[in-house]
Amino acid sequence: MLAAFTFNTAENLPIGLLDVIADGLHVSVSAVGLLVTGYGLTVAVASVPLAHAVRAVPRRHVLTALLAALVVSSLVAALAPSYGVLLGARLLTALAQALFWAVMGPVAVGLFPPEVRGRVVGALSVAGSLALVLGVPLGTWLGRQSEWQVPVALLAGLGGASLVTIAALLPTSRPEEEPAAYGLGPDARRFGIVLATGALAAAGAFTAFTYVVTFLGEVSGFAPGTVSALLMAFGLACLAGVTVTGALLDRFPRAALTAAVTAQAVGMLGLYATGTDPVAAVAFLVLVGGALGPVFMTTQNAMLHCAPGRTDIALAANSGAYNAGIAAGAALGGLVLSLADVRGTVLAGGLLSAAACAVLLAGQALGSRTRRADAT
């Protein structure tokens, strides 16, 4: 959980310090923005190849190496004398995170009985969500009160604590012999459906969320100070969503995924339709926040069940597809914004989220018909 918190904080910390980093390194804000988009693209592209490359290496050794990379890259970033060095350090962190999410899930849930694995996935997701609610805001505040390098260097300390704990306590075993190395109910069709659902949902979420500050100001009429408070409410809703969903995930794994994707679609389309009403805008924004974290969490949990092969490869594919959806959504939002207005980005995000819901429901209906046909 500490490692998940640290990686997610490292990924998103530059968002709150764009102007500070730009001033410190004498580059444009858009160049610093590439530290975030380049990070996401690296995770999207590298997840599956890296997971395949280390598929025979004991997980304890892999996780120790990944956390060592996090520590080194954070220290290099904090001491970076130029933008190029900082970008290189960020890409090293991204490579480590790309593999971390693939390896961490099977290792963590494999330490517990199958009937409580959903709670384990939920705990890890809570830690990741805390990065957005606690880690990034605190890091942003600290970076603005001192130097942007200070919170970056502190991430090395958190990563070091995780590294020592895992290196000292995690058992060493062959990856294929671990309890969660393979899916509980391999299903190639469901694997493809969940993969497509997650990518579409991510694209829908970030088509709109990338420009939600502009939407809340121009369409809903909120002052800048209020928008900051609303973003905090969004993060708290995300944390609440993963907490509640994690508690129910073992009992209702499929329903949890359907509910999360449906809630995101309803929230997006409701925000578009009623965004000019401040009260309704807040309500639908919170609904989207409550769904955003659970969508990724429930797709990850589904991979542990339906992976047609090794779960680490399936989780890497899911993480890669989700990050590809994030990058595509941000790009699509920018295109829509240039052709229409900021309300158009929310509409496009809502339609993509509805498409994700349709793909999931159609896949479930097809699966039910197939099972009935097999039974007869």
Side-chain angles (χ1 to χ4, degrees), residues 142-321:
L142 183 59
R144 291 184 178 277
Q145 294 298 313
S146 53
E147 301 287 341
W148 65 264
Q149 292 92 339
V150 174
V152 175
L154 287 177
L155 294 175
L158 296 178
S162 300
L163 188 158
V164 171
T165 303
I166 287 176
L169 299 178
L170 188 68
T172 301
S173 60
R174 294 173 59 85
E176 65 274 11
E177 295 175 352
E178 293 184 348
Y182 296 93
L184 295 174
D187 187 337
R189 178 190 290 118
R190 179 159 174 78
F191 169 77
I193 290 169
V194 172
L195 207 63
T197 298
L200 281 170
F206 284 85
T207 296
F209 186 67
T210 305
Y211 304 96
V212 71
V213 171
T214 304
F215 181 93
L216 293 173
E218 294 183 1
V219 178
S220 303
F222 289 107
T226 305
V227 170
S228 298
L230 291 176
L231 292 179
M232 179 61 72
F234 182 93
L236 290 172
C238 181
L239 178 60
V242 296
T243 301
V244 173
T245 305
L248 301 173
L249 202 50
D250 289 308
R251 295 172 58 193
F252 311 105
R254 296 200 179 206
L257 174 56
T258 304
V261 176
T262 302
Q264 178 178 306
V266 171
M268 289 280 187
L269 293 174
L271 187 60
Y272 166 75
T274 66
T276 54
D277 180 344
V279 175
V282 171
F284 283 113
L285 180 70
V286 169
L287 179 59
V288 174
L292 185 59
V295 168
F296 182 66
M297 178 179 70
T298 51
T299 59
Q300 290 285 87
N301 186 66
M303 290 296 163
L304 294 170
H305 288 265
C306 70
R310 287 268 294 268
T311 51
D312 54 354
I313 303 298
L315 288 168
N318 190 53
S319 179

Side-chain angles (χ1 to χ4, degrees), residues 1-12 67 70 97 100-101 104 121 123-132 158-159 162 166:
M1 288 177 70
L2 178 60
F5 173 84
T6 306
F7 267 116
N8 272 19
T9 301
E11 178 180 6
N12 295 287
L67 289 166
L70 172 62
Q97 182 165 337
F100 173 78
W101 286 112
M104 174 196 65
V121 174
L124 296 172
S125 297
V126 166
S129 297
L130 275 174
L132 299 178
L158 296 178
S162 300
I166 287 176

